[in-house]
Amino acid sequence: MAVRPVVVWPDERLRQPSVAITAIDDSVRALYQDLVDSMYAENGLGIASLQLGDPRKMFIVEPKLAGKAEGEPPVAFINPEVLWTSDEQQDSEEGCLSFPEIYIKVKRPMRCRVKAMGLDGQMFELEGEGLLARCLLHENDHLTGKLLVDFVGPLKRQMIKKKLQKTKELEEVEA
Ligand SMILES: [Zn+2]
């Protein structure tokens, strides 16, 4: 499969409505593999399909963070749904592959429970705490078109836009 370039904000593809996956076929498995390859290439903890410009409703999470043994494949969350979030909150800095080198303080529930379909077509539920809860909610936000910049005010958003634009120009000069 392939490492694909991660879509960087303010690319409109990050805001497109996501589409439910109705069957696990070869094209879904290929998308999963591209997500895996692209996440590892960028050292991410998770990635959502919209970040590769694909609207199908799936994200993946790095196996160790998702409670799997090292060496296991990343966990696929297909058509995910957040079933529950705790009243208790956590507040820490969050990054995103679509906002390279930007970190934003985001308040999120300390724990959450997510239901999704696995790559084997079976439904499963996973409860996460701390960083895992943060990651699950962050990736799920992607599938609803919600992004890190939606947690900040217009001034900070403008600053982030400028910084990302600068990074892009530098990359174009280097390329
Ligand atoms: Zn993200």
Side-chain angles (χ1 to χ4, degrees), residues 26-93:
D26 284 348
S27 82
V28 171
R29 282 185 283 267
L31 172 60
Y32 167 79
Q33 200 53 53
D34 286 355
L35 286 167
V36 171
D37 294 344
S38 306
M39 179 182 76
Y40 281 137
E42 301 279 348
N43 287 315
L45 295 176
I47 189 171
S49 50
L50 281 175
Q51 292 179 278
L52 296 183
D54 191 307
R56 284 176 288 176
K57 217 169 189 162
M58 166 160 46
F59 66 75
I60 64 167
V61 173
E62 192 273 325
K64 240 177 118 187
L65 181 60
K68 303 277 178 194
E70 227 177 277
E72 296 258 337
V75 181
F77 294 78
I78 295 166
N79 306 331
E81 197 186 325
V82 177
L83 297 176
W84 170 82
T85 56
S86 66
D87 292 332
E88 192 190 341
Q89 304 277 305
Q90 53 174 326
D91 199 3
S92 67
E93 290 205 320

Side-chain angles (χ1 to χ4, degrees), residues 88-118:
E88 192 190 341
Q89 304 277 305
Q90 53 174 326
D91 199 3
S92 67
E93 290 205 320
E94 208 169 295
C96 177
L97 297 178
S98 295
F99 295 82
E101 284 167 58
I102 304 281
Y103 297 91
I104 293 172
K105 218 161 189 196
V106 181
K107 204 171 194 174
R108 291 201 188 267
M110 180 58 91
R111 289 183 298 280
C112 72
R113 191 167 186 81
V114 173
K115 181 180 164 185
M117 189 192 282

Side-chain angles (χ1 to χ4, degrees), residues 126-160:
L126 182 69
E127 195 167 316
E129 189 181 337
L131 184 59
L132 176 57
R134 179 171 291 280
C135 182
L136 290 169
L137 294 169
H138 175 108
E139 299 311 334
N140 192 67
D141 276 356
H142 272 297
L143 300 182
T144 65
K146 192 171 183 186
L147 299 166
L148 274 190
V149 281
D150 300 331
F151 292 91
V152 303
L155 270 178
K156 178 111 198 243
R157 188 185 288 219
Q158 207 49 41
M159 242 171 65
I160 293 168

